[in-house]
Amino acid sequence: MKKYEDEYRHKGLRRRLMISLQEKGISDQSVLEAMGNIPRHFFMDLAFDQIAYEDRAFPIGEGQTISQPYTVAYQTQLLEIKPFDKVLEIGTGSAYQSVVLAELGAQVFTIERQRKLFDRNKSFQYLKKYPGIKFFYGDGFEGLPTYAPFDKIIVTAAAPQIPPKLAEQLKPGGKMVIPVDEHHSQRMLRLTKQTDDTLTEERFDLFSFVPMLEGRVNGNGNNQ
Ligand code: SAH
């Protein structure tokens, strides 16, 4: 069996990708450094080894994708992560975004609704390097009331609207970065919770995400 290794060639491609993200407007050096440390090809099927460092989304199974590096960098930059921030991520997928957050020193709680994707991460050896990341199989619309409140919330699927339970689970002063449906794409929003519990909204660019769906999907592909 072919093994995942982080070769000189991968490192070179990764450096080039970070330069291109910078050229596209990503300016937060800590985000670029974190992403520069993470072998993205480990998170994808070996068949994609050669093209893991193109600025593109790729299939990861179950009809889902690993987000485009630019999108990961963009959302992470908007979150303004500080070490020890308690961060809730909706849509674990490949776990790439979770690892970027962990590299920045965040305490990561991440939820995935697809059982197969959740199970796959349990046997993903590279994640042993990040024992602090807490993985949950569940419906992101519910958030994680037991672990709330959070300093930051990041949604990595297209939300039909701002999920009220996620807004509730944000600390005062906390921020949520979420792509919300607007015609055929999604507007990236950053919401900041005020001390009176209202949210202020900042609007950013349009993106294209897979949909955020209600409920969970079990190992047989059935909705629950
Ligand atoms: N952050 C991921 C991106 C994966 S794509 C990465 O870095 O690879 C979005 C993911 O959100 C998919 O895996 C999809 O199954 C999941 N998803 C969609 N709706 C969800 C919900 N309500 N709760 C949890 N996960 C959800």
Side-chain angles (χ1 to χ4, degrees), residues 64-65 89 91-92 94 97 112-114 139-140 156 212-213:
Q64 304 305 323
T65 55
E89 178 194 20
T92 315
S94 69
Q97 174 74 70
E112 174 55 55
R113 72 184 286 274
Q114 296 262 4
D139 178 359
T156 68
M212 180 177 182
L213 301 170

